[in-house]
Amino acid sequence: MNRRYIIAGNWKMNKTPAEAAALIEEIKPLVSDASCQVVVGVPFIDLPAALEATKGSQIGVAAQNCYWEKAGAFTGEVSADMLREMGVQYVILGHSERRTYFGDTDMTVQKRVRGALDAGLTVILCVGETLEQREQDITGEIVAMQTKIALGGVSVEELSRVVIAYEPVWAIGTGRTATAQQANEVCALIRSVLSGLYGPEAADQALIQYGGSMNAANAAELLAQPDVDGGLIGGASLKAPDFAAIVAAASR
Ligand code: PEP
């Protein structure tokens, strides 16, 4: 199966709208030849600027979260329908920072996934174990559980609008990357979970990224792994040349 890689930047809470537009202008010419999907995940406030700056390019725009209800008395929240109407195509859900600092759980991630898919968005669903869980040798169980719960109620047709990002929590923003073998092992495990849920064909077509301190220097080795179909990039996505180098590594 030839899966088309996806390289997505997660800018986290960085860049004002003007800075976001400037960074995208810098990235655009550097990724114009990419054969992989290229996405920038920006703060809500930057979405209009990012959508404007990416117009006519092949760069997609992601939000970093969304609420599951369509509208109502949910002060401070943003619905998937609102994102979709603006022209946003992707949403990152279940990121470990959302789970750690903002109370996201497997069940709330499931609801967000439902809301996003109903609105027509493509979901980048983050799963991954903490260092303690890896040391307890329960990485497989944790990642399988997170994946199964988040995908509860998702049909096989809808799965084509879900990208799974395997992000070991201990590797996010720490400079400590999983080895290529560790990354592939867990991505392969996620694929086998998908096979159990949806059958081998759907699992074979599913896109599974690695995320966690991926950078220009280590991307090629990680992306060369058979079950790694791209990357979710935090820190390195804020530097245009580094992000472009990762995109280039995924475009070979
Ligand atoms: C992330 O935020 O999803 C991430 C992988 O961050 P970093 O690349 O900085 O580890």
Side-chain angles (χ1 to χ4, degrees), residues 159-179:
L159 187 68
S160 63
R161 283 190 290 118
V162 179
V163 176
I164 298 188
Y166 165 53
E167 298 213 304
V169 179
W170 47 271
I172 298 177
T174 59
R176 186 176 164 190
T177 317
T179 64

Side-chain angles (χ1 to χ4, degrees), residues 68 96-106 108-109 112:
W68 52 86
S96 71
E97 288 153 17
R98 300 291 325 167
R99 295 179 191 254
T100 305
Y101 306 133
F102 303 105
D104 236 348
T105 65
D106 289 335
T108 61
V109 173
R112 291 183 208 282

Side-chain angles (χ1 to χ4, degrees), residues 10 12 95 97 167 171-173 211-214 232-235:
N10 174 21
K12 311 184 192 238
H95 191 279
E97 288 153 17
E167 298 213 304
I172 298 177
S213 299
M214 191 187 274
L232 182 56
I233 325 296

Side-chain angles (χ1 to χ4, degrees), residues 66-145:
C66 69
Y67 196 57
W68 52 86
E69 295 288 352
K70 288 180 179 300
F74 305 104
T75 304
E77 291 300 308
V78 172
S79 77
D81 281 352
M82 292 169 178
L83 297 174
R84 187 66 193 154
E85 193 193 285
M86 315 177 63
V88 172
Q89 305 107 312
Y90 299 85
V91 62
I92 299 168
L93 293 177
H95 191 279
S96 71
E97 288 153 17
R98 300 291 325 167
R99 295 179 191 254
T100 305
Y101 306 133
F102 303 105
D104 236 348
T105 65
D106 289 335
M107 284 313 297
T108 61
V109 173
Q110 182 194 82
K111 290 194 211 181
R112 291 183 208 282
V113 168
R114 179 74 270 143
L117 291 174
D118 284 348
L121 297 172
T122 292
V123 171
I124 298 176
L125 166 66
C126 303
V127 297
E129 82 288 2
T130 63
L131 186 59
E132 292 71 28
Q133 290 163 339
R134 176 160 282 268
E135 285 170 353
Q136 286 171 333
D137 206 17
I138 54 172
T139 296
E141 286 91 333
I142 294 294
V143 168
M145 182 182 70

Side-chain angles (χ1 to χ4, degrees), residues 1-250:
M1 176 72 205
N2 266 341
R3 296 181 290 265
R4 188 169 170 235
Y5 285 148
I6 173 166
I7 299 296
N10 174 21
W11 291 10
K12 311 184 192 238
M13 196 180 73
N14 290 295
K15 304 293 174 189
T16 65
E19 290 168 347
L23 179 55
I24 290 168
E25 290 307 333
E26 218 187 314
I27 291 171
K28 261 196 308 200
L30 304 179
V31 304
S32 58
D33 290 339
S35 59
C36 61
Q37 295 180 66
V38 182
V39 177
V40 288
V42 306
F44 284 132
I45 195 73
D46 293 347
L47 287 169
L51 288 164
E52 184 59 32
T54 54
K55 222 179 247 173
S57 78
Q58 55 134 318
I59 303 174
V61 174
Q64 299 174 5
N65 191 25
C66 69
Y67 196 57
W68 52 86
E69 295 288 352
K70 288 180 179 300
F74 305 104
T75 304
E77 291 300 308
V78 172
S79 77
D81 281 352
M82 292 169 178
L83 297 174
R84 187 66 193 154
E85 193 193 285
M86 315 177 63
V88 172
Q89 305 107 312
Y90 299 85
V91 62
I92 299 168
L93 293 177
H95 191 279
S96 71
E97 288 153 17
R98 300 291 325 167
R99 295 179 191 254
T100 305
Y101 306 133
F102 303 105
D104 236 348
T105 65
D106 289 335
M107 284 313 297
T108 61
V109 173
Q110 182 194 82
K111 290 194 211 181
R112 291 183 208 282
V113 168
R114 179 74 270 143
L117 291 174
D118 284 348
L121 297 172
T122 292
V123 171
I124 298 176
L125 166 66
C126 303
V127 297
E129 82 288 2
T130 63
L131 186 59
E132 292 71 28
Q133 290 163 339
R134 176 160 282 268
E135 285 170 353
Q136 286 171 333
D137 206 17
I138 54 172
T139 296
E141 286 91 333
I142 294 294
V143 168
M145 182 182 70
Q146 290 175 341
T147 304
K148 285 182 185 174
I149 295 176
L151 294 179
V154 172
S155 70
V156 68
E157 291 77 25
E158 288 171 329
L159 187 68
S160 63
R161 283 190 290 118
V162 179
V163 176
I164 298 188
Y166 165 53
E167 298 213 304
V169 179
W170 47 271
I172 298 177
T174 59
R176 186 176 164 190
T177 317
T179 64
Q181 192 197 338
Q182 285 171 327
N184 192 62
E185 205 172 83
V186 183
C187 289
L189 179 138
I190 293 169
R191 204 176 299 286
S192 75
V193 169
L194 296 180
S195 182
L197 293 172
Y198 298 102
E201 202 177 313
D204 195 39
Q205 286 169 10
L207 291 180
I208 304 174
Q209 301 171 304
Y210 167 78
S213 299
M214 191 187 274
N215 58 40
N218 61 27
E221 191 189 358
L222 288 159
L223 294 169
Q225 301 305 306
D227 280 295
V228 177
D229 305 321
L232 182 56
I233 325 296
S237 71
L238 293 167
K239 295 175 213 128
D242 293 32
F243 187 60
I246 299 169
V247 169

